[in-house]
Amino acid sequence: MPNADTKLQLNGVDVVSNQIISVTQIPQLVFSPRINDAGLGYATITFKVYDGRDWSARDYTVRINVLSDKIYMPTLFSPNADGANDNFIIRGGEGNIEKLTLRVLDRNNNPMYESSDIIEITTKGWNGKKDGKEQPAGAYLWYIEGTYKNGKPIEFNGKKTGVIRMVR
C-alpha cells in the first residue's frame, strides 16, 4: 500500500489494502506521489508477493523517487538572517542535473554572483552580497545555463533568464 498522501490507482480506481494485483495489471498502475520540501515527488509502497500458491512471509517496501526535469526559480528573497528565504536558491531537478551555471547581475549588468557548483546553487545559492558587501534591495537579473542528464537544456518556464527581487 502507498503511504498516506500517495494515491495509487488501477484503471482509475483507488487501490485498497489487501487488493490483489496481477503481473499483467502492473502497467495500468498509476501513482500520484507525495511532494517533499524540494518539490520532488516520491512514494513508498509496501506489498507482499504471491506466487500462485502462497503469499510471501514478509512485506517488501519500495521507495520511488521521481527525478524532476524541472527547476523552480523564486521571484523574491530576503537576506535578513531570519532563517526564511535568506538566499537565492534554485530548487528542483535534484539528482537529474548534469551541469548548471547560475549568474546574477545587477541593473547595470555588473556580475554579483556566479557558480557552476550544482550543490552550492541548490543548497547555498546567492546570499545578496558581492565581495562580502551587502547589495541594495531591488531587482537583479538571473541567467541559467545547463543540461539535465538526458541532454535536455535547463530552462525555467521556457526561459534561461529572469528577475529576482531582493528585499531587506
Side-chain angles (χ1 to χ4, degrees):
M1 278 306 299
N3 50 24
D5 294 334
T6 302
K7 181 183 272 191
L8 183 65
Q9 293 187 324
L10 178 62
N11 296 322
V13 179
D14 288 350
V15 172
V16 296
S17 185
N18 298 319
Q19 180 174 344
I20 297 174
I21 299 171
S22 72
V23 171
T24 60
Q25 293 175 307
I26 290 174
Q28 284 80 42
L29 285 173
V30 175
F31 81 93
S32 301
R34 296 175 77 175
I35 305 298
N36 67 18
D37 292 338
L40 297 176
Y42 72 95
T44 303
I45 299 174
T46 302
F47 59 94
K48 288 188 181 233
V49 177
Y50 183 70
D51 67 4
R53 294 176 305 210
D54 201 7
W55 291 98
S56 58
R58 67 179 192 94
D59 290 341
Y60 294 88
T61 300
V62 175
R63 179 172 170 107
I64 301 168
N65 293 310
V66 180
L67 293 179
S68 175
D69 65 351
K70 292 184 180 173
I71 58 166
Y72 305 94
M73 304 293 288
T75 57
L76 180 84
F77 78 115
S78 58
N80 57 10
D82 69 352
N85 300 313
D86 286 330
N87 293 43
F88 172 39
I89 298 170
I90 294 178
R91 302 213 185 268
E94 285 93 340
N96 201 24
I97 296 174
E98 183 68 30
K99 62 182 182 174
L100 177 64
T101 299
L102 170 65
R103 292 180 188 91
V104 179
L105 308 171
D106 69 9
R107 66 179 71 198
N108 296 316
N109 286 325
N110 295 311
M112 296 287 110
Y113 172 84
E114 181 172 344
S115 179
S116 295
D117 182 330
I118 296 168
I119 302 297
E120 178 184 321
I121 294 168
T122 58
T123 60
K124 183 180 174 191
W126 182 45
N127 63 3
K129 296 179 181 179
K130 168 75 174 173
D131 298 326
K133 182 181 175 194
E134 289 186 356
Q135 297 302 302
Y140 291 82
L141 177 68
W142 57 259
Y143 174 78
I144 53 172
E145 184 176 11
T147 56
Y148 293 104
K149 289 182 178 177
N150 64 6
K152 183 179 169 185
I154 293 176
E155 297 176 334
F156 176 66
N157 290 336
K159 299 178 182 176
K160 293 182 180 251
T161 62
V163 175
I164 180 72
R165 287 172 180 75
M166 177 172 43
V167 296
R168 292 206 177 264

